[in-house]
């Protein structure tokens, strides 16, 4: 049990008992457990509280049962009493607390840090009176607008593949004592009707009085899913939970969830910690997507925690993707074939209505004439294909996973480039507001009229982003209505929904976009998808880059021909310098299984995940030397624990983007053949790291199961 001196205060002797309370303690304080407070009445574990901490009053969670008081920690000191108990709120469920406990241990974070971080930020600001007002408003709203029962919505007939999947999900075992529904990997091609499987499974679970949690990787996919779920379940209570909600609305939805006023909850990765108490089904759509991994703070994986939560609550877990992650592929592979055998794999290889997947065409850039390359980013043959779609009144999607107008401005006279003064990265040229913008630290300035080095007025834009691509298409396709969806064009509230509505209404002929539009969207009129400049990932130092590229291209291809009547003439064009690469050859055949099998074997031969398990120790300092010196000292401290557990610590190196916002970053890779020894070593190492002081080191963190290396 951790004890913090700030939680002590000269006061009356302890009268009743001691309650362990989780509060948000500083990350590097070394305090990972609950702090002790005086409590003069029974308080159930999971109850939300206000407690004094130093000179502040903060939000806390009762984490242990009340126990008899012990002797004071020091002469003249006594534990401080609770400030307030939020009696009107039900306690956080036991399964939620178990999930937080596990996540804190596994990801090497303090339980208080994690538990308070996943609560709504607005909740921390409320005292008991303010919270009571919010709850009264919720009571009035619930009484005024109960769910309206209407006619049962029409349901499409199930295909044999969908019916077989539903029969194999084990939904009849949900909630049964001693029964644990299997974790299912649903491997279904784009357009195979996976969403209908989710909805039918939800029907069964809801009819049994349980709740459903559906996760999507990105906020922009929630409106589409919300619309389909609301249409299917008009009499059910449906809520969403994601960072795109205003703080007040997020708190409102979270309170409704805690009070049990929800049947279906939709959200992004943060919703995995929603305090549902009757959970029966978890659906993780596009389970391969790296967005399910938190990249700061407690670096948890919502996909992996969903599997644990299903086990804790005896709920069915459905992981779905057209391109499953290698980790899930390994877990679904039978043990007899070298896999883990933990998941059941169900396949849906056919599109709804007998539609076919788009024909893939690889356009060899090495065969183009020099003048064709000089003409622009889009090859003449692809321009002609786009013109044909325009003539037939069909839509096209052109994918370029780089926003802005150009990655860098360049002076041909002296060689100056638009580097960021604060980061080891280029500032991107954005033509829309004539700015140079760093996508790492956010530093922005107006484009200079002359070269800052030599005064030359002729500055060239090197490379192309979505802005420049949209301009080029407008020039080469006169009269075409060009749309662009990326992080820049959708900054304003409601702009993404408005632009997607234009696409669905047929008001855009050619849509230019980044990976934002390459997955999950049901564009019925698009018959041609083109990917330009995808080759960089083939030569990345990140061993996961080919897997991500293949998933992106397969998902993008799935946006074409979703209407069965048009699928026969749908196409996917890929402009590449390497058409013979095995990745593109697998894409040519839409053979995700063959690609996954090849990658799986390659990873095991190289000793990479999922064959091994990794962690990263990251450090940030004012100098690269200080960051690496701290990591080297950390490796020395952990050498004995690493040797005992059979764990390898590699030498520290700079991160790929070495400097961000004037802060130098370095990392050290830790590798283990199995997960248990890695966790054993990290748990023994962590207290030593907290004691390793170096004033020049600003921050450090452990990242378990890192995705970005």
């Amino acid at each position: 049990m951790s004890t913090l001196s700030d939680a002590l205060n000269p006061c009356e002797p302890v009268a009743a008992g001691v309650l362990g309370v989780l509060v948000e303690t500083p990350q590097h304080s070394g305090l990972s457990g609950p702090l002790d407070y005086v409590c003069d009445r029974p308080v159930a574990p999971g109850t939300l509280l206000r407690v004094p901490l130093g000179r502040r009053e903060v939000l806390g969670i009762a984490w242990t049962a009340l126990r008899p008081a012990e002797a004071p920690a020091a002469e003249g000191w006594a534990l401080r009493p609770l400030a307030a108990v939020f009696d009107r709120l039900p306690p956080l469920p036991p399964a939620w607390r178990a999930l937080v406990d596990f996540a804190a241990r596994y990801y090497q974070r303090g339980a208080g840090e994690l538990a308070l971080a996943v609560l709504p930020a607005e909740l921390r600001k409320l005292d008991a009176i303010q919270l009571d007002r919010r709850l009264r408003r919720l009571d009035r709203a619930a009484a005024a607008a109960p769910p309206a029962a209407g006619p049962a919505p029409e349901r499409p007939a199930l295909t044999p593949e969908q019916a077989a999947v539903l029969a194999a999900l084990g939904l009849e075992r949900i909630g049964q004592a001693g029964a644990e529904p299997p974790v299912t990997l649903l491997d279904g091609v784009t357009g195979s009707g996976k969403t209908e499987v989710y909805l039918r499974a939800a029907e069964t679970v809801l009819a049994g009085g349980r709740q459903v949690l559906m996760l999507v990787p990105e906020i922009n996919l929630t409106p589409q899913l919300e619309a389909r779920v609301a249409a299917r379940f008009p009499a059910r209570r449906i809520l969403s939970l994601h960072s795109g909600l205003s703080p007040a609305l997020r708190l409102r939805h979270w309170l409704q969830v805690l009070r049990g006023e929800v049947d279906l909850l939709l959200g992004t990765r943060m919703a995995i910690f929603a305090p549902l108490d009757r959970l029966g089904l978890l659906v993780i759509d596009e389970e391969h997507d790296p967005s399910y991994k938190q990249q700061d703070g407690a670096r948890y994986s919502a996909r992996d925690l969903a599997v644990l939560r299903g086990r804790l609550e005896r709920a069915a877990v459905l992981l779905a993707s057209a391109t499953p992650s290698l980790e899930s592929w390994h877990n679904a592979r039978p043990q007899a074939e070298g896999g883990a055998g933990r998941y059941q794999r169900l396949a849906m290889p056919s599109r709804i209505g007998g539609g076919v997947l788009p024909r893939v065409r690889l356009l060899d850039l090495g065969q183009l004439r020099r003048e064709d390359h000089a003409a622009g980013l889009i090859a003449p043959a692809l321009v002609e294909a786009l013109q044909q779609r325009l003539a037939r009144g069909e839509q096209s999607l052109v994918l370029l996973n780089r926003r802005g107008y150009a990655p860098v401005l360049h002076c041909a006279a002296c060689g100056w480039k638009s580097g960021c003064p604060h980061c080891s990265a280029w500032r991107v040229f954005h033509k829309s507001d004539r700015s140079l913008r760093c996508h790492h630290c956010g530093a922005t300035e107006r484009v200079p009229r002359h070269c800052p080095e030599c005064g030359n007025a002729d500055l060239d834009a090197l490379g192309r982003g979505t802005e420049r691509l949209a301009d080029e298409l407008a020039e080469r396709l006169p009269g075409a209505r060009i749309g662009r969806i990326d992080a820049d064009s959708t900054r304003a509230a409601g702009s993404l929904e408005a632009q997607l509505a234009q696409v669905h209404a047929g008001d855009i002929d050619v849509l230019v976009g980044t990976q934002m539009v390459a997955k999950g969207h049901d564009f019925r009129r698009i018959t041609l998808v083109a990917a330009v400049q995808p080759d960089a990932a083939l030569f990345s130092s990140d061993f996961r880059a080919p897997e991500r590229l293949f998933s992106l291209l397969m998902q993008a291809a799935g946006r074409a021909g979703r209407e069965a009547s048009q699928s026969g003439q749908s196409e996917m064009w890929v402009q590449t310098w390497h058409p013979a690469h095995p990745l593109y050859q697998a894409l040519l055949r839409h053979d995700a299984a063959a690609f996954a099998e090849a990658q799986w074997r390659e990873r095991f031969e190289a000793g990479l995940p999922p064959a091994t398990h990794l962690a990263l120790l990251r450090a940030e300092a004012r100098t690269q030397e200080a960051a690496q010196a701290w990591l080297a000292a950390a490796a020395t401290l952990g050498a004995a624990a690493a040797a005992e557990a059979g764990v390898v610590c590699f030498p520290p190196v700079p991160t790929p983007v070495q400097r961000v916002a004037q802060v130098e970053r370095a990392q050290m890779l830790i590798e283990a053949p199995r997960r248990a020894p890695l966790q054993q070593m990290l748990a023994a190492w962590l207290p030593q790291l907290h004691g390793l002081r170096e004033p020049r080191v600003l921050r450090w963190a452990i990242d378990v199961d890192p995705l970005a290396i």
Side-chain angles (χ1 to χ4, degrees):
M1 187 72 61
S2 300
T3 305
L4 186 66
S5 60
D6 282 347
L8 300 172
N9 196 44
C11 60
E12 295 297 323
V14 173
V18 175
L19 186 70
V21 177
L22 282 187
V23 297
E24 189 172 15
T25 51
Q27 178 184 347
H28 300 308
S29 65
L31 296 171
S32 58
L35 307 180
D36 289 342
Y37 287 87
V38 175
C39 183
D40 58 2
R41 61 189 173 103
V43 175
T47 301
L48 290 168
L49 317 157
R50 299 287 298 183
V51 295
L53 186 67
R55 298 180 180 180
R56 300 176 296 146
E57 188 180 282
V58 299
L59 182 68
I61 307 171
W63 208 249
T64 63
L66 194 66
R67 68 182 194 278
E70 300 172 356
E75 186 73 24
W77 289 84
L79 298 175
R80 302 172 77 176
L82 306 177
V85 178
F86 292 160
D87 291 308
R88 287 199 58 196
L89 280 178
L92 292 158
W96 185 92
R97 302 197 305 275
L99 181 70
V100 167
D101 261 334
F102 173 86
R105 291 194 310 271
Y106 185 82
Y107 293 106
Q108 304 299 320
R109 313 297 292 199
E113 177 196 359
L114 178 60
L116 274 295
V118 300
L119 299 182
E122 197 78 358
L123 186 61
R124 305 183 199 185
K125 305 174 185 178
L126 303 183
D127 58 26
I129 296 174
Q130 293 168 325
L131 179 63
D132 190 63
R133 290 183 190 139
R134 304 273 182 127
L135 295 177
R136 285 202 299 269
R137 285 200 291 268
L138 284 180
D139 292 338
R140 290 194 296 268
E154 293 186 9
R155 302 183 304 172
L158 291 175
T159 66
E161 289 177 1
Q162 290 172 323
V165 166
L166 286 166
L169 287 182
L171 300 179
E172 69 283 352
R173 284 177 276 174
I174 293 175
Q176 294 181 2
E180 188 176 307
V183 177
T184 301
L185 175 62
L186 179 55
D187 185 358
V189 300
T190 53
S192 60
K194 294 189 290 295
T195 304
E196 183 61 28
V197 171
Y198 310 160
L199 297 176
R200 292 294 185 102
E203 282 181 12
T204 302
V205 171
L206 293 172
R210 306 274 282 194
Q211 296 165 312
V212 176
L213 173 62
M214 294 187 185
L215 300 188
V216 292
E218 295 187 7
I219 295 170
N220 69 77
L221 296 176
T222 53
Q224 176 177 282
L225 183 61
E226 284 176 10
R228 291 197 63 174
V229 171
R232 179 61 64 89
F233 302 104
R236 292 290 185 174
R237 299 167 298 181
I238 302 166
L239 293 174
S240 59
L241 202 59
H242 53 75
S243 60
L245 301 175
S246 68
L249 186 56
R250 181 183 166 193
L251 174 62
R252 178 189 177 95
H253 286 188
W254 188 89
L255 290 172
Q256 289 178 271
V257 172
L258 182 60
R259 285 157 46 113
E261 298 172 358
V262 62
D263 299 312
L264 293 103
L265 181 65
L266 316 176
T268 51
R269 63 174 177 261
M270 69 164 57
I272 193 60
F273 288 105
L276 298 157
D277 63 348
R278 295 177 288 107
L279 190 57
L281 173 66
L282 296 97
V283 176
I284 315 300
D285 192 27
E286 312 290 2
E287 65 85 26
H288 67 278
D289 199 288
S291 298
Y292 284 121
K293 171 76 169 176
Q294 178 79 10
Q295 293 301 327
D296 54 21
R299 292 171 166 83
Y300 63 86
S301 166
R303 178 197 66 200
D304 296 346
L305 290 181
V307 175
L308 172 70
R309 187 164 188 181
R311 188 180 308 130
L312 290 171
E313 308 203 35
R314 293 194 176 94
V317 179
L318 183 57
L319 310 175
S321 175
T323 54
S325 65
L326 264 291
E327 286 76 13
S328 294
W329 180 269
H330 174 70
N331 283 327
R333 190 182 181 90
Q335 291 182 338
E337 299 176 11
R342 297 189 187 99
Y343 304 166
Q344 68 168 345
R345 176 176 173 263
L346 303 176
M348 291 173 55
S350 306
R351 277 187 154 185
I352 293 291
V356 297
L357 291 168
R359 175 192 175 196
V360 176
R361 300 186 59 173
L362 302 177
L363 199 159
D364 188 353
L365 294 175
Q367 300 297 318
L368 297 185
R369 299 172 301 172
R370 181 176 299 178
E371 53 267 31
D372 291 335
H373 286 295
L377 184 60
I378 305 297
L382 179 53
V383 173
E384 183 179 345
L386 292 168
Q387 290 171 334
Q388 292 172 359
R389 306 289 161 166
L390 282 170
R392 296 204 294 260
E394 298 167 2
Q395 293 176 314
S396 302
L397 168 64
V398 183
L399 174 69
L400 176 60
N401 208 20
R402 182 184 293 123
R403 60 191 175 98
Y405 187 83
V408 61
L409 277 188
H410 167 68
C411 174
C414 71
W416 172 86
K417 293 182 176 64
S418 56
C420 176
H422 313 296
C423 308
S424 52
W426 306 117
R427 285 175 297 172
V428 177
F429 172 37
H430 289 259
K431 186 180 178 182
S432 59
D433 59 1
R434 299 291 300 174
S435 70
L436 293 175
R437 191 181 310 158
C438 177
H439 290 174
H440 296 278
C441 72
T444 303
E445 70 171 338
R446 297 286 296 173
V447 173
R449 294 180 178 273
H450 305 278
C451 172
E453 297 289 338
C454 69
N456 176 32
D458 189 13
L459 298 178
D460 298 326
L462 298 182
R464 291 170 175 83
T466 48
E467 274 189 73
R468 192 170 188 177
L469 177 58
D471 286 354
E472 180 181 330
L473 286 169
E475 292 176 7
R476 303 182 73 175
L477 299 171
R481 296 167 296 179
I482 310 295
R484 177 169 63 89
I485 294 181
D486 55 29
D488 297 317
S489 68
T490 56
R491 289 183 187 277
S495 59
L496 175 60
E497 291 78 4
Q499 292 182 68
L500 289 174
Q502 285 184 296
V503 179
H504 289 299
D507 296 334
I508 290 176
D509 298 317
V510 180
L511 176 63
V512 175
T514 59
Q515 54 85 27
M516 286 180 64
V517 295
K519 53 193 173 187
H521 296 287
D522 189 20
F523 299 130
R524 310 303 296 185
R525 293 181 171 89
I526 287 180
T527 59
L528 185 147
V529 173
V532 296
Q533 291 190 340
D535 288 344
L538 300 178
F539 309 102
S540 170
S541 59
D542 187 347
F543 66 87
R544 286 192 174 91
E547 178 187 357
R548 290 182 186 142
L549 175 60
F550 186 79
S551 294
L552 177 62
L553 295 179
M554 282 286 288
Q555 294 288 335
R559 299 319 104 203
R562 297 181 73 87
E563 191 67 52
S565 60
Q566 295 181 316
S567 64
Q569 60 194 29
S570 63
E571 289 183 334
M572 166 72 166
W573 285 61
V574 180
Q575 291 191 172
T576 174
W577 292 93
H578 306 278
H581 195 283
L583 185 150
Y584 293 134
Q585 291 302 308
L587 180 68
L588 200 63
R589 304 186 302 272
H590 293 285
D591 199 344
F595 177 79
E597 181 72 16
Q599 286 285 297
W600 183 83
R601 293 188 181 281
E602 187 176 301
R603 297 269 189 93
F604 268 76
E605 290 172 3
L608 295 169
T612 56
H613 300 277
L614 304 179
L616 275 178
L617 179 60
R618 307 178 193 268
E620 298 181 0
R622 290 300 179 191
T623 67
Q624 185 64 212
E625 293 75 18
Q628 293 198 34
W630 187 89
L631 291 173
T636 301
L637 284 177
E644 182 180 348
V647 173
V648 177
C649 294
F650 291 90
V653 295
T655 59
V657 181
Q658 180 173 321
R659 187 177 76 258
V660 173
Q662 299 290 17
V663 173
E664 294 285 337
R665 309 187 303 171
Q667 63 188 21
M668 184 168 64
L669 185 65
I670 302 105
E671 179 186 271
R674 292 181 296 112
R675 183 174 282 113
L678 179 62
Q679 286 292 314
Q680 173 190 334
M681 182 265 179
L682 294 176
W685 198 22
L686 193 60
Q688 297 174 310
L689 295 178
H690 285 302
L692 184 59
R693 303 297 180 186
E694 166 54 67
R696 295 176 297 171
V697 172
L698 305 175
R699 289 174 292 274
W700 61 267
I702 293 177
D703 186 358
V704 181
D705 300 333
L707 291 186
I709 298 177

